[in-house]
Amino acid sequence: MISFVNDYQEGCIPEILEKLQKYNYCANPGYGVDCICENAKKLIKQTVNAPDADVHFITGGTLTNKIVINAFLKSYEGVICVDTAHIATHETGAIEHGGRKVLTVKNHNGKILPSQIESIVNEHIGGLSREHTVKPGMVYISQSTELGTLYCLNELKEISAVCKKHGLLFFIDGARMLTSLFAKDNDCTLANMNALCDVMYIGGTKAGALLGEALIINNSLLKKDFRYILKQNGALMAKGFLMGIQFEGLFENDNYQKYCKSAIEKADKIRMALKNKGIKLEIDSCDTQTFAIFTKEQYQELQAHFDFGGATFKEGLAYARICTSWATTEDSVNALVTAIERL
Amino acid sequence: MISFVNDYQEGCIPEILEKLQKYNYCANPGYGVDCICENAKKLIKQTVNAPDADVHFITGGTLTNKIVINAFLKSYEGVICVDTAHIATHETGAIEHGGRKVLTVKNHNGKILPSQIESIVNEHIGGLSREHTVKPGMVYISQSTELGTLYCLNELKEISAVCKKHGLLFFIDGARMLTSLFAKDNDCTLANMNALCDVMYIGGTKAGALLGEALIINNSLLKKDFRYILKQNGALMAKGFLMGIQFEGLFENDNYQKYCKSAIEKADKIRMALKNKGIKLEIDSCDTQTFAIFTKEQYQELQAHFDFGGATFKEGLAYARICTSWATTEDSVNALVTAIERL
Amino acid sequence: MISFVNDYQEGCIPEILEKLQKYNYCANPGYGVDCICENAKKLIKQTVNAPDADVHFITGGTLTNKIVINAFLKSYEGVICVDTAHIATHETGAIEHGGRKVLTVKNHNGKILPSQIESIVNEHIGGLSREHTVKPGMVYISQSTELGTLYCLNELKEISAVCKKHGLLFFIDGARMLTSLFAKDNDCTLANMNALCDVMYIGGTKAGALLGEALIINNSLLKKDFRYILKQNGALMAKGFLMGIQFEGLFENDNYQKYCKSAIEKADKIRMALKNKGIKLEIDSCDTQTFAIFTKEQYQELQAHFDFGGATFKEGLAYARICTSWATTEDSVNALVTAIERL
Amino acid sequence: MISFVNDYQEGCIPEILEKLQKYNYCANPGYGVDCICENAKKLIKQTVNAPDADVHFITGGTLTNKIVINAFLKSYEGVICVDTAHIATHETGAIEHGGRKVLTVKNHNGKILPSQIESIVNEHIGGLSREHTVKPGMVYISQSTELGTLYCLNELKEISAVCKKHGLLFFIDGARMLTSLFAKDNDCTLANMNALCDVMYIGGTKAGALLGEALIINNSLLKKDFRYILKQNGALMAKGFLMGIQFEGLFENDNYQKYCKSAIEKADKIRMALKNKGIKLEIDSCDTQTFAIFTKEQYQELQAHFDFGGATFKEGLAYARICTSWATTEDSVNALVTAIERL
């Protein structure tokens, strides 16, 4: 059984494993003020070309989203996002548990339009209701999106401009940002995305780290006392150097590039095989996620040898997500491609 | 200038004013354990035919909604309601500030369909996501709705049955419940609505009290320690007897009936006048709220003598809400009717 | 049975009752933007000599404390107060429910010493722990205190200076401030107390209003969007004018003065009678509260005719609180004084 | 420079490192439902002799404390602990940020007395205040304590009995539990501690894991939907198997024993050296922490070669914590012992 269930099913890239051994008996200061973390932060700031940014490491995406939105919005401000956004659908109400309202608009291929931001701001700020509605205070997007699509640079610029116009913070969830850099539709660099937002994070977990997201705070108004906030939210790890190791491992010598590129190439290969076979895609995704629509029979046949983590069945069709990762092997992909060809 | 801005613009029914004077120098125990409150609670329990219910008085609707939803749902449970629900749109994110997620579905004339509840439960409980989404834990409706429409008894029974089936609490916000009892579309009594839900409240403010909502807790699992919850939420008034006076005043001799009936009759008269004049209604409401669509010219003419609290302008039309109250006089309504006839 | 249980057992001063009647059929805008509220705010700002302050009315003290501390402190900041402070002992954890930590120090006759503030700041900010402890962000005091004692002007100035030195907000809970103005130990005016703090409130409930606290925000950094915060916390009453009436009634023609003076005079008379009889006081209070230590026999004798709301028994002694109010009559006090003399 | 700063300065025991390599390319289901986690949970349940318990892995202690206390107490319940408890002093108000009040009593060598629990319960439940104070709902202790002392089995039994008597949950924070099993004062096993409490956790981080605490829920009323709670709090790691690896590594073949024993033996050796030299200890601790009182000169001399993470200076004396870990070498300890002897 070969698994294409998700992009976080394996451990970490070998460079990180080596570092774990190399540093294992070093005595590091606790709570992330060690020199491994410092070096990892330096590498990230260089990569995103933001020497003045503050970088913090947090164990996972939901915790990062919850902390950022709770900390940077006032209690009566809301965060705008699409209805398919991770914070709206897959975090068990973490944002609301943290006291903030999520204001959703209908997604367009997983993405938000600048005009939708304008509309929701106008509905909330203008009108007769005044202080009876929350004030929009932030725009949240995921790059790549939950549907595997990508914002192009121009779209990001437009969103950034609308945010500036209305005094909204712009927050980019980059859980899959590193791999999606290598997607065919991508025209962004880490640096130019980071230059457009107040705060963003680069996911380590889905790019070949054992854990961790690297949060980059650009807006200087948001930097103060952030370690207090981390500690209060249970996000300041005693062995903080563990996360330093992850990001040093990813960014040293740009190690992440070959692994992320590989993950995307594998996904592209699968998409090509599906297309050649005439199997429709639910969404025209370009990251490590492929959303295929099989017949029930096709799905059952593949299921004998490949694990997609289940499917949703509607009207005789099986909607399945096929996911590659930094660790997906050439052999695995070839096996799947062959199986698709034989369907 | 005659005001039809809302149903809470005047003070209180004369019976309450008299009681304020009558009781003014009595020494009452603090925090609502006085005999006026006890009597008011007894009257309410008799009226709704629920001798075993617990009744508590809370100053306003938003505070009541926030407390009930925060107290009765677990942190990872969400409350289902329509997109026009007060808790979703007009409480400045109070429910989320209290840590709970609001799960909205599209309204049908302000109302939720039992099938929508089924769907949202199935989406959240079934499927592949499991603990990554909130669990639906409650259904919230307003009777009458925010659009001035009413659930008929049968609809309430169906909602109640769906709630029971899925283990959801059923919560009715009755901010306008007392007046809407007298609406032409109504076929419910307080008693039979209360019999169908776990918890509901009867609004005093919009029925001729100075303040206060009477919360009725029917589900015995929800009764324990509720006064701790009130105190912690700043909802236990030192002079609790002030709210006892309001509800004794409303329910003694069924005083509320004549005032609430009057408010609805005035609204019906206005709706008739609009209909006769061929002025369209945005919504076919039947409570104290009437949603009229005037031409800009009509609106401006009326505006010279009547205050509707503003209007929303779209494509040359003015969407205005006209609201009557227990205190609206025959003269005021006649003046408006005449003005409408002359448009 | 004559009750001395508390200072919120009766209704309101006659001037407020009259206004309730006078304004009963006026059509006011909702949510406290009416002209009665405006006038009440103007009167308060004149009285405290703070033309630029923002004034808001909130139904009760616990709600006010919870909102102020939640809104004005960051999530990782704590509020410093004495161990007998209302927020530390009698609000069912409302402050913590609102997410903020209460940092208590031992009281000195109900009061905090400037040196204690220095110490707690140094413990938290200095030292090795850094971001592992909360940052002190505010000092909360009650004037008069929960033990019926008073800060003199000089003490308030010193606390204010320490707060400024360490960047702490200074918040005065004035639930009993109006009556205690007339206490023998008092050397403060409303204006000079208000000049020393960032935010304070003047309690209406215990000074002869039916409900309400008048919150005065002096620090301009704290003013923005406060009505959003009120609404979100369920503290924006639909019939906001009800609270305008309370404070117009108290402050118009300085009506509060005669009633508050009367309440204190009655308490002083009781204290004098106790002293003459050789009955010890637990605390040397000077506001409407008197803390007497009776023998069990004395207490039982008084209990036949007077209600003190219970007592705490320790080693054969009864610790009872005797409370006067604006409504306590000459006859009631004389009866109690005579009874004390006859013990 | 040899570091004795803390017990979380190094990476992990070699058995864990090996497992990280061994499992690196296996495809695991996400979010901790993999077979490594299952095996680790099985090992823990066997070790603590609790086949029916639920075990969950959480990244760190503060997050665990925050989640447990928020999830298992009602909003108006408080948690009782000593004034030196980690949750009271070193979590930046995390518990309060989660909405719960911490009720502290004075510690006795870091420990709580059963009689103190009785007292605080009686103060809060009895008396005149009723719903104006929080209800005690849980007792929290740390084993070993923050001062390095240990509860003996009999003390734990007494606390457990008081908790049962008053309906309080009993929660043991075992951040240093594994190492302290080998302390000279210890007479408990994991199994008999676990049998006495509703919920406890065994810290991995300070026992030689890279991260993670193993939470054991014994009380069946607390088990339901706990994974929802974890997800909502950002505590459900995508690569959950990373924590499975830590605890499989610690508990397989009882690997933890040799490392934890070593850490304690090293600490005992240091304490013996200090004692022989006549250097006083601030606290008579017995776990990996030693609290020495050096003269300023002694401290400066040691500081040249050893790092204790700073000291607190009072009246010419330096109060320093010396900490050993699973990774502390024989050579390091000998060097320190020799240096102490030469002071």
Side-chain angles (χ1 to χ4, degrees):
Chain A
M1 180 72 72
I2 300 173
S3 170
F4 290 92
V5 173
N6 59 48
D7 40 9
Y8 42 82
Q9 61 185 5
E10 295 97 357
C12 59
I13 62 172
E15 288 84 348
I16 291 175
L17 261 191
E18 280 160 33
K19 281 181 187 291
L20 283 169
Q21 290 190 293
K22 173 181 154 197
Y23 290 129
N24 195 50
Y25 293 96
C26 299
N28 281 297
Y31 300 105
V33 296
D34 57 272
C35 58
I36 308 171
C37 282
E38 283 318 299
N39 186 44
K41 291 174 183 186
K42 205 183 75 183
L43 289 167
I44 289 171
K45 289 195 276 186
Q46 284 170 352
T47 306
V48 302
N49 191 25
D52 296 331
D54 276 4
V55 176
H56 300 275
F57 301 125
I58 303 179
T59 49
T62 296
L63 189 54
T64 308
N65 290 334
K66 185 176 188 175
I67 290 173
V68 163
I69 295 171
N70 178 261
F72 295 160
L73 287 187
K74 299 206 182 71
S75 69
Y76 55 89
E77 291 179 328
V79 52
I80 301 171
C81 63
V82 288
D83 52 0
T84 47
H86 204 261
I87 56 168
T89 60
H90 278 88
E91 302 191 350
T92 322
I95 306 308
E96 293 84 357
H97 188 235
R100 302 295 176 266
K101 191 174 179 76
V102 178
L103 300 164
T104 56
V105 297
K106 202 174 154 16
N107 78 89
H108 293 78
N109 283 321
K111 297 190 276 184
I112 197 167
L113 307 179
S115 60
Q116 292 179 298
I117 301 171
E118 290 274 5
S119 296
I120 203 163
V121 168
N122 289 337
E123 278 166 34
H124 282 77
I125 302 289
L128 302 170
S129 293
R130 297 172 315 266
E131 57 264 9
H132 295 256
T133 67
V134 293
K135 266 184 136 168
M138 179 187 274
V139 170
Y140 163 99
I141 66 162
S142 303
Q143 174 80 326
S144 59
T145 73
E146 292 75 10
L147 304 191
T149 55
L150 271 176
Y151 289 91
C152 68
L153 186 55
N154 219 41
E155 289 171 326
L156 295 178
K157 281 182 179 167
E158 283 175 22
I159 293 171
S160 183
V162 174
C163 286
K164 280 213 172 47
K165 178 179 166 194
H166 292 292
L168 305 171
L169 298 173
F170 184 18
F171 173 31
I172 307 179
D173 171 340
R176 288 197 173 90
M177 183 179 278
L178 278 189
T179 42
S180 63
L181 284 175
F182 301 92
K184 66 172 172 34
D185 294 354
N186 180 53
D187 67 351
C188 302
T189 65
L190 292 175
N192 56 30
M193 287 188 280
N194 189 59
L196 292 169
C197 69
D198 295 279
V199 55
M200 82 173 194
Y201 65 92
I202 299 176
T205 309
K206 289 167 182 167
L210 287 171
L211 80 169
E213 320 288 308
L215 182 70
I216 304 168
I217 307 180
N218 297 302
N219 185 325
S220 60
L221 296 173
L222 307 178
K223 292 175 183 172
K224 198 186 164 215
D225 289 335
F226 197 73
R227 281 174 58 82
Y228 282 84
I229 292 167
L230 288 176
K231 177 63 188 171
Q232 182 174 60
N233 283 283
L236 213 53
M237 286 184 73
K239 296 187 178 175
F241 58 84
L242 173 61
M243 289 201 285
I245 289 171
Q246 310 304 309
F247 285 94
E248 195 184 69
L250 285 174
F251 281 90
E252 201 175 56
N253 307 318
D254 295 329
N255 286 330
Y256 73 89
Q257 297 200 354
K258 70 180 156 208
Y259 297 103
C260 291
K261 202 153 173 264
S262 159
I264 291 289
E265 284 171 354
K266 306 284 189 301
D268 284 340
K269 213 162 171 180
I270 294 167
R271 282 189 279 265
M272 181 61 71
L274 292 166
K275 198 180 159 191
N276 290 343
K277 190 68 186 180
I279 291 167
K280 286 222 175 102
L281 300 180
E282 192 185 353
I283 306 149
D284 185 23
S285 68
C286 65
D287 69 357
T288 52
Q289 308 174 89
T290 301
F291 299 89
I293 311 178
F294 296 108
T295 63
K296 216 172 161 184
E297 293 70 31
Q298 289 173 333
Y299 180 73
Q300 280 167 347
E301 210 165 311
L302 291 173
Q303 224 186 349
H305 301 287
F306 303 94
D307 186 2
F308 305 146
T312 307
F313 296 93
K314 261 186 298 188
E315 302 167 12
L317 298 173
Y319 293 74
R321 189 183 75 159
I322 305 170
C323 212
T324 60
S325 84
W326 63 273
T328 305
T329 62
E330 205 64 40
D331 284 355
S332 301
V333 163
N334 289 342
L336 178 57
V337 164
T338 305
I340 290 169
E341 289 168 355
R342 289 188 188 155
L343 281 177
Chain B
M1 182 71 72
I2 301 174
S3 169
F4 290 93
V5 172
N6 58 48
D7 40 9
Y8 43 82
Q9 62 185 5
E10 295 97 359
C12 59
I13 63 173
E15 288 85 347
I16 291 175
L17 261 190
E18 279 160 33
K19 280 179 188 293
L20 284 168
Q21 290 190 293
K22 174 182 156 197
Y23 291 128
N24 196 50
Y25 294 97
C26 299
N28 281 296
Y31 299 106
V33 296
D34 58 90
C35 58
I36 307 170
C37 282
E38 283 317 299
N39 187 44
K41 291 175 182 185
K42 205 184 75 185
L43 289 166
I44 289 172
K45 289 195 275 187
Q46 285 170 352
T47 307
V48 303
N49 192 26
D52 296 332
D54 277 4
V55 177
H56 300 275
F57 302 125
I58 303 179
T59 50
T62 296
L63 189 54
T64 308
N65 290 334
K66 184 176 188 174
I67 290 173
V68 164
I69 295 170
N70 177 260
F72 296 161
L73 288 187
K74 300 204 183 73
S75 68
Y76 55 89
E77 290 179 329
V79 53
I80 301 171
C81 64
V82 289
D83 52 0
T84 47
H86 204 259
I87 56 168
T89 59
H90 278 87
E91 302 191 350
T92 323
I95 306 309
E96 292 85 357
H97 188 234
R100 300 297 175 267
K101 190 175 179 78
V102 179
L103 300 165
T104 56
V105 297
K106 203 174 152 18
N107 78 90
H108 294 79
N109 283 319
K111 296 190 277 185
I112 197 167
L113 306 179
S115 60
Q116 292 179 299
I117 300 171
E118 290 275 3
S119 296
I120 203 163
V121 168
N122 290 336
E123 278 167 34
H124 282 77
I125 303 289
L128 303 169
S129 294
R130 297 175 315 267
E131 57 265 9
H132 295 255
T133 67
V134 292
K135 264 186 137 167
M138 180 187 274
V139 169
Y140 163 99
I141 67 161
S142 303
Q143 173 81 326
S144 58
T145 72
E146 292 75 9
L147 306 190
T149 55
L150 270 175
Y151 289 91
C152 68
L153 186 55
N154 219 42
E155 290 171 326
L156 295 177
K157 281 181 180 168
E158 284 175 21
I159 293 172
S160 183
V162 175
C163 286
K164 280 213 173 49
K165 178 179 165 193
H166 292 292
L168 306 172
L169 298 174
F170 184 17
F171 173 31
I172 307 179
D173 171 340
R176 288 196 173 91
M177 183 178 278
L178 277 189
T179 42
S180 64
L181 285 175
F182 302 92
K184 66 173 172 37
D185 295 354
N186 180 54
D187 67 350
C188 303
T189 65
L190 292 175
N192 55 32
M193 287 189 279
N194 188 60
L196 292 169
C197 68
D198 295 278
V199 56
M200 82 172 194
Y201 65 93
I202 300 176
T205 309
K206 290 167 182 166
L210 286 171
L211 81 169
E213 320 289 307
L215 182 70
I216 304 167
I217 307 180
N218 297 304
N219 184 327
S220 59
L221 296 173
L222 307 179
K223 292 176 182 171
K224 199 187 164 215
D225 290 334
F226 197 73
R227 283 175 57 82
Y228 282 84
I229 291 167
L230 288 176
K231 178 63 188 170
Q232 182 174 60
N233 283 283
L236 214 52
M237 286 185 72
K239 296 186 179 174
F241 58 85
L242 173 62
M243 289 201 285
I245 289 171
Q246 310 303 309
F247 285 94
E248 195 185 69
L250 285 173
F251 282 89
E252 201 176 56
N253 306 320
D254 295 330
N255 286 329
Y256 72 89
Q257 298 200 354
K258 68 180 158 208
Y259 297 103
C260 292
K261 204 154 171 261
S262 160
I264 291 289
E265 284 170 355
K266 304 286 190 298
D268 284 340
K269 215 163 167 180
I270 294 167
R271 281 189 280 264
M272 182 61 71
L274 291 165
K275 199 180 158 191
N276 290 343
K277 190 66 188 180
I279 291 166
K280 287 221 176 106
L281 300 180
E282 191 185 354
I283 306 148
D284 186 22
S285 68
C286 65
D287 70 356
T288 53
Q289 309 174 88
T290 301
F291 299 88
I293 311 178
F294 296 109
T295 63
K296 215 173 162 183
E297 293 70 32
Q298 289 172 331
Y299 180 72
Q300 279 166 348
E301 209 164 313
L302 292 173
Q303 223 188 351
H305 302 286
F306 303 95
D307 186 1
F308 304 145
T312 306
F313 296 93
K314 260 186 299 191
E315 301 168 12
L317 298 173
Y319 293 75
R321 189 183 75 158
I322 305 170
C323 212
T324 60
S325 83
W326 64 274
T328 306
T329 63
E330 205 63 42
D331 285 356
S332 300
V333 164
N334 290 342
L336 178 57
V337 165
T338 305
I340 290 169
E341 289 167 355
R342 289 191 188 152
L343 281 175
Chain C
M1 182 70 72
I2 301 173
S3 170
F4 291 92
V5 173
N6 59 47
D7 40 8
Y8 44 82
Q9 60 185 5
E10 295 97 358
C12 60
I13 63 172
E15 289 84 348
I16 292 174
L17 262 191
E18 280 160 33
K19 280 180 188 293
L20 284 169
Q21 291 190 291
K22 176 182 154 196
Y23 291 128
N24 196 51
Y25 294 96
C26 300
N28 280 297
Y31 300 104
V33 297
D34 57 90
C35 58
I36 307 171
C37 282
E38 283 317 299
N39 187 43
K41 291 176 182 184
K42 204 183 75 184
L43 289 166
I44 289 172
K45 289 195 274 188
Q46 285 169 352
T47 305
V48 303
N49 192 25
D52 296 332
D54 276 5
V55 176
H56 300 275
F57 301 125
I58 303 179
T59 51
T62 296
L63 189 54
T64 308
N65 290 333
K66 184 176 187 173
I67 290 173
V68 164
I69 294 171
N70 178 260
F72 295 161
L73 288 186
K74 299 204 183 73
S75 69
Y76 55 89
E77 291 179 329
V79 53
I80 301 171
C81 64
V82 288
D83 51 0
T84 47
H86 204 261
I87 55 167
T89 60
H90 279 87
E91 302 191 348
T92 321
I95 307 308
E96 292 85 356
H97 188 235
R100 300 296 176 268
K101 191 175 179 77
V102 178
L103 300 165
T104 56
V105 297
K106 204 175 152 14
N107 78 89
H108 293 78
N109 284 320
K111 296 190 277 184
I112 198 166
L113 305 179
S115 60
Q116 292 179 299
I117 301 170
E118 290 274 3
S119 296
I120 203 163
V121 168
N122 290 336
E123 278 167 33
H124 282 77
I125 303 290
L128 303 169
S129 293
R130 296 173 316 266
E131 57 263 10
H132 296 256
T133 67
V134 293
K135 266 186 137 168
M138 179 187 276
V139 170
Y140 163 98
I141 67 163
S142 303
Q143 172 81 326
S144 58
T145 73
E146 291 75 8
L147 305 189
T149 55
L150 271 174
Y151 289 90
C152 69
L153 185 55
N154 219 40
E155 290 172 324
L156 295 178
K157 283 181 179 167
E158 284 176 22
I159 293 171
S160 183
V162 175
C163 286
K164 282 212 171 52
K165 178 179 164 193
H166 292 292
L168 306 171
L169 297 173
F170 184 18
F171 173 31
I172 307 179
D173 170 339
R176 288 196 173 90
M177 184 178 277
L178 277 188
T179 43
S180 65
L181 284 175
F182 301 92
K184 66 172 171 36
D185 295 354
N186 180 54
D187 67 350
C188 303
T189 65
L190 292 174
N192 55 33
M193 287 188 281
N194 190 59
L196 292 169
C197 69
D198 295 279
V199 56
M200 83 173 194
Y201 65 93
I202 300 175
T205 310
K206 290 168 182 167
L210 286 171
L211 80 169
E213 321 288 307
L215 182 70
I216 305 167
I217 306 180
N218 296 304
N219 184 326
S220 59
L221 296 172
L222 307 178
K223 292 175 183 172
K224 197 185 166 216
D225 289 335
F226 197 72
R227 283 175 58 82
Y228 282 84
I229 292 167
L230 288 175
K231 178 63 188 171
Q232 182 175 60
N233 282 282
L236 213 54
M237 287 184 71
K239 296 187 178 174
F241 58 85
L242 173 61
M243 288 201 284
I245 289 172
Q246 310 303 308
F247 285 94
E248 194 184 71
L250 286 174
F251 281 90
E252 199 175 58
N253 307 318
D254 296 328
N255 286 330
Y256 72 89
Q257 297 200 354
K258 68 180 159 210
Y259 297 102
C260 291
K261 203 154 171 261
S262 161
I264 291 289
E265 284 171 355
K266 304 286 190 298
D268 284 339
K269 214 163 168 179
I270 294 167
R271 281 189 280 263
M272 181 61 70
L274 291 166
K275 198 181 159 190
N276 290 343
K277 191 67 187 180
I279 290 166
K280 286 220 176 105
L281 300 181
E282 191 186 353
I283 306 149
D284 186 22
S285 68
C286 66
D287 69 356
T288 53
Q289 307 173 90
T290 302
F291 299 88
I293 312 178
F294 297 108
T295 63
K296 214 173 163 185
E297 294 70 32
Q298 289 173 332
Y299 180 72
Q300 280 167 347
E301 211 165 310
L302 291 172
Q303 225 188 347
H305 301 287
F306 303 95
D307 186 0
F308 304 146
T312 307
F313 296 93
K314 261 187 297 191
E315 302 169 11
L317 298 173
Y319 293 74
R321 189 183 76 158
I322 304 170
C323 212
T324 60
S325 83
W326 65 273
T328 307
T329 63
E330 205 64 41
D331 284 356
S332 299
V333 164
N334 288 343
L336 178 57
V337 164
T338 304
I340 291 168
E341 289 168 354
R342 288 189 189 154
L343 281 175
Chain D
M1 181 71 70
I2 301 173
S3 170
F4 290 92
V5 173
N6 58 48
D7 40 8
Y8 43 83
Q9 61 185 3
E10 296 96 357
C12 59
I13 62 173
E15 288 86 347
I16 292 175
L17 261 191
E18 280 160 32
K19 280 180 188 293
L20 283 169
Q21 291 190 292
K22 174 181 154 198
Y23 292 128
N24 197 51
Y25 293 96
C26 300
N28 281 296
Y31 301 104
V33 296
D34 56 274
C35 58
I36 308 171
C37 281
E38 283 317 299
N39 186 44
K41 290 175 182 185
K42 204 183 75 183
L43 290 167
I44 290 172
K45 289 195 275 187
Q46 284 169 352
T47 306
V48 302
N49 191 27
D52 296 333
D54 277 5
V55 177
H56 300 275
F57 302 126
I58 303 179
T59 51
T62 296
L63 189 54
T64 308
N65 290 333
K66 185 176 188 174
I67 290 173
V68 164
I69 295 171
N70 178 260
F72 295 161
L73 288 186
K74 300 205 182 73
S75 69
Y76 54 89
E77 291 179 327
V79 53
I80 301 172
C81 63
V82 288
D83 51 0
T84 45
H86 204 261
I87 57 168
T89 60
H90 278 88
E91 302 191 349
T92 321
I95 307 308
E96 293 85 357
H97 188 236
R100 301 296 176 267
K101 190 174 180 76
V102 179
L103 300 165
T104 57
V105 297
K106 203 176 153 14
N107 77 90
H108 293 78
N109 283 320
K111 297 189 277 184
I112 198 168
L113 306 179
S115 60
Q116 292 179 299
I117 300 171
E118 290 274 3
S119 296
I120 203 163
V121 168
N122 290 335
E123 278 166 34
H124 282 78
I125 303 288
L128 303 169
S129 293
R130 295 172 317 266
E131 57 264 10
H132 296 254
T133 67
V134 292
K135 266 185 136 168
M138 180 188 274
V139 170
Y140 163 99
I141 66 162
S142 304
Q143 173 80 327
S144 59
T145 74
E146 291 75 9
L147 305 190
T149 55
L150 271 176
Y151 289 90
C152 68
L153 184 56
N154 220 41
E155 290 172 325
L156 294 178
K157 282 181 179 168
E158 284 176 21
I159 293 172
S160 183
V162 175
C163 286
K164 280 212 173 51
K165 179 178 164 194
H166 292 292
L168 304 172
L169 298 174
F170 184 18
F171 172 32
I172 307 179
D173 171 340
R176 288 196 174 91
M177 183 179 277
L178 277 189
T179 43
S180 64
L181 284 175
F182 301 92
K184 67 171 171 36
D185 295 354
N186 180 53
D187 68 349
C188 302
T189 65
L190 292 175
N192 56 32
M193 288 188 280
N194 189 60
L196 293 169
C197 68
D198 295 279
V199 56
M200 82 172 195
Y201 64 93
I202 299 175
T205 310
K206 289 167 183 167
L210 287 171
L211 80 168
E213 320 289 307
L215 183 70
I216 304 167
I217 307 180
N218 297 302
N219 185 326
S220 59
L221 296 172
L222 307 178
K223 292 176 183 172
K224 199 185 164 216
D225 289 335
F226 198 73
R227 283 175 56 84
Y228 282 85
I229 292 167
L230 288 175
K231 177 63 188 170
Q232 182 175 59
N233 282 281
L236 213 52
M237 287 185 71
K239 297 187 177 173
F241 59 83
L242 173 61
M243 289 201 284
I245 289 172
Q246 310 304 308
F247 285 94
E248 194 185 70
L250 286 174
F251 282 89
E252 201 175 56
N253 307 319
D254 295 329
N255 287 330
Y256 73 90
Q257 297 200 356
K258 68 181 158 208
Y259 296 103
C260 291
K261 204 155 172 262
S262 160
I264 291 289
E265 284 171 355
K266 305 284 190 299
D268 283 339
K269 213 163 171 181
I270 294 167
R271 280 189 280 265
M272 181 61 71
L274 291 166
K275 199 180 158 189
N276 290 343
K277 191 67 187 180
I279 290 167
K280 288 223 176 100
L281 300 180
E282 192 184 353
I283 306 148
D284 186 23
S285 68
C286 65
D287 69 356
T288 52
Q289 307 174 88
T290 301
F291 298 88
I293 312 178
F294 296 109
T295 62
K296 216 174 160 183
E297 293 71 30
Q298 290 173 332
Y299 180 72
Q300 281 168 346
E301 210 164 312
L302 291 172
Q303 226 188 345
H305 301 286
F306 303 95
D307 186 1
F308 303 146
T312 307
F313 295 93
K314 260 187 297 189
E315 301 167 14
L317 297 173
Y319 293 74
R321 190 183 75 158
I322 304 170
C323 212
T324 59
S325 82
W326 65 273
T328 306
T329 62
E330 204 64 39
D331 284 356
S332 299
V333 164
N334 289 343
L336 178 57
V337 165
T338 304
I340 290 169
E341 288 167 355
R342 288 188 188 153
L343 280 176

